[in-house]
Amino acid sequence: MVWIPGGTFLMGSNAFYREEGPVHPETSDGFWIDRHPVTNAQFDRFVTATGYVTFSERTPMREMYPDAAEEFLVPGSLVFVKPPRPVSLRDHRAWWAYVPGANWRHPNGPNSSIAQKGNHPVVHINYEDAQAYAAWADKALPSEVEWEFAARGGLEGAAYPWGDAANPEGRYLSNTWQGRFPFENLAEDGFEGTSPVDAFPPNGYGLHDMCGNVWEWTTTAYAPAGSADKSCCQRKDVDPRKGLRVVKGGSHLCAPNYCLRARPAARQGESIDSSTCHIGFRCVVRGPN
């Protein structure tokens, strides 16, 4: 873990999406934070030690999803499926599918695996799963303030942890989408899908993957005003009774033509029962240095 000294910083952005503004000062006490998102190998140690079964590995209960079709009441999770041709960006169902058998061990479905991907971020993790791992590790999930403070790496007011250019001098400094989303991924950054958690340079605090690769859970409730919660990756059928938590940092699916959210200020609300192929987490420990 990395120690983040306490301090005051400018949180949010006025330059991108409504839910990120207005820019305002926030103060955080010092805390420790994981150097990178929790990996498949780390999560596997947790499961081996405890026998924990993740949300996507459990059979959904009819009372939780009274309107769900019968074929969806089986263990599974949401997986990105690249369409073969251009599609309307107005309907996320063109690239998201509920895949039976998809879970953290099988991120793209039952015929996929995490073999040789021990150092990739664990995915298909819902809020409860992340909380369970954190408790086992004697850690906690970060608040949104803590997460963004750490993500900025001490660089005040910049759009990205490294400055204001997304790809300075043509260099890719995070795992995002190149090409026309969702049907064309040129993988110019070297990856299609998740990447090893140390594949890209760290920020000023020595933290990897604070932008791109996978979204990360925080403990902060999400309740924006008006229609600002219609962000690009959020499910449109979220049941507000299930509660929303802020996820941060964007993912490998963030694309210039669709989602400019691989940035410290970016935020969206995610239903606590959501588990997808591009959401993971990292932990913090609060207390003295």
Side-chain angles (χ1 to χ4, degrees):
M1 303 186 84
V2 173
W3 172 252
I4 308 298
T8 299
F9 72 108
L10 294 178
M11 184 170 179
S13 171
N14 297 327
F16 289 88
Y17 299 103
R18 281 197 330 181
E19 68 267 20
E20 300 171 18
V23 173
H24 60 282
E26 286 283 358
T27 299
S28 174
D29 294 332
F31 59 96
W32 294 89
I33 189 167
D34 289 342
R35 191 176 296 274
H36 51 69
V38 173
T39 64
N40 287 317
Q42 290 174 312
F43 199 79
D44 182 67
R45 288 195 289 272
F46 158 61
V47 170
T48 298
T50 64
Y52 184 82
V53 178
T54 63
F55 183 82
S56 61
E57 296 172 283
R58 307 172 204 162
T59 300
M61 301 174 65
R62 169 61 70 184
E63 52 265 38
M64 291 179 62
Y65 304 99
D67 300 322
E70 197 65 35
E71 62 264 30
F72 296 129
L73 292 178
V74 296
S77 191
L78 287 174
V79 173
F80 172 80
V81 179
K82 187 166 65 174
R85 61 186 66 86
V87 295
S88 170
L89 296 179
R90 295 179 179 272
D91 188 356
H92 70 285
R93 291 173 298 181
W95 57 86
W96 283 113
Y98 185 82
V99 177
N103 54 54
W104 72 274
R105 290 188 176 93
H106 306 286
N108 295 313
N111 293 325
S112 64
S113 82
I114 55 173
Q116 312 304 316
K117 292 186 176 181
N119 62 343
H120 284 231
V122 65
V123 293
H124 295 295
I125 299 299
N126 82 345
Y127 186 71
E128 176 189 347
D129 300 332
Q131 291 275 43
Y133 175 95
W136 170 78
D138 292 325
K139 299 180 181 181
L141 296 183
S143 69
E144 182 182 9
V145 169
E146 290 169 330
W147 194 99
E148 186 169 329
F149 185 39
R152 291 183 174 278
L155 194 58
E156 184 79 299
Y160 302 93
W162 52 82
D164 287 317
N167 305 306
E169 300 177 351
R171 293 179 298 133
Y172 293 102
L173 299 178
S174 63
N175 180 4
T176 57
W177 184 288
Q178 296 85 52
R180 293 169 291 177
F181 184 89
F183 69 97
E184 177 191 59
N185 189 348
L186 302 176
E188 292 171 341
D189 60 8
F191 300 98
E192 185 166 9
T194 61
S195 55
V197 294
D198 59 355
F200 295 90
N203 71 2
Y205 289 146
L207 305 174
H208 292 274
D209 277 357
M210 298 306 287
C211 289
N213 214 359
V214 294
W215 288 94
E216 299 181 16
W217 287 106
T218 77
T219 58
T220 300
Y222 185 82
S227 60
D229 59 341
K230 299 296 189 293
S231 61
C232 61
C233 299
Q234 180 182 308
R235 288 162 45 187
K236 302 300 188 291
D237 59 347
V238 166
D239 183 343
R241 293 171 299 177
K242 296 190 173 101
L244 301 176
R245 291 292 186 274
V246 173
V247 292
K248 297 285 283 182
S251 79
H252 59 86
L253 298 180
C254 286
N257 70 314
Y258 183 61
C259 175
L260 297 173
R261 286 183 166 85
R263 298 172 289 102
R267 63 197 303 267
Q268 72 175 30
E270 196 66 52
S271 175
I272 59 174
D273 68 332
S274 290
S275 63
T276 75
C277 64
H278 73 332
I279 296 181
F281 69 106
R282 76 179 72 207
C283 300
V284 298
V285 171
R286 301 179 182 96
N289 186 350

